[in-house]
Amino acid sequence: MVANRKDFEKELKEWLNGAQQVVVAGIGNSIRSDDFVGVKIIQDIQDKVSSKVHIIECETVPESFMDEIVELKPSHVLLIDAAILGVSLGDICL
């Protein structure tokens, strides 16, 4: 779903409602600025999340972090990445 920021925040809050343990994984490549968004967001929120949230900076290899994610037994996993979705630049999808 494509959403503006306000709608996205509402959807994200609803999705996270009742979360016990959350993993937020940032995916991206620092060499390609548009593809770096997942990692950049992770870096920006690193010290701003509750103890229920585990932050992982995956860069271009999220599959390398599967064991770590499984061990945490999260109730929710949020992957943040740039993607070609055929929507307008800057649109947010959850």
Side-chain angles (χ1 to χ4, degrees):
M1 167 176 253
V2 178
N4 62 40
R5 183 182 172 121
K6 183 178 176 183
D7 292 340
F8 174 76
E9 287 178 11
K10 180 181 175 190
E11 276 190 59
L12 186 59
K13 284 179 184 178
E14 288 175 11
W15 183 72
L16 289 169
N17 187 32
Q20 299 299 311
Q21 177 74 15
V22 179
V23 169
V24 181
I27 304 166
N29 183 338
S30 62
I31 296 171
R32 299 182 59 203
S33 62
D34 60 334
D35 189 42
F36 189 57
V37 67
V39 175
K40 176 67 173 137
I41 289 171
I42 291 301
Q43 291 172 348
D44 288 351
I45 67 170
Q46 191 71 40
D47 299 320
K48 300 174 184 170
V49 296
S50 81
S51 59
K52 290 183 174 183
V53 179
H54 185 81
I55 301 294
I56 301 175
E57 190 174 317
C58 296
E59 294 186 349
T60 60
V61 288
E63 63 275 11
S64 296
F65 295 88
M66 289 304 300
D67 289 340
E68 180 180 348
I69 293 169
V70 169
E71 285 178 24
L72 291 166
K73 298 180 181 168
S75 59
H76 295 66
V77 177
L78 179 63
L79 305 175
I80 303 175
D81 194 9
I84 298 171
L85 300 173
V87 297
S88 298
L89 291 175
D91 281 349
I92 303 169
C93 302
L94 181 63

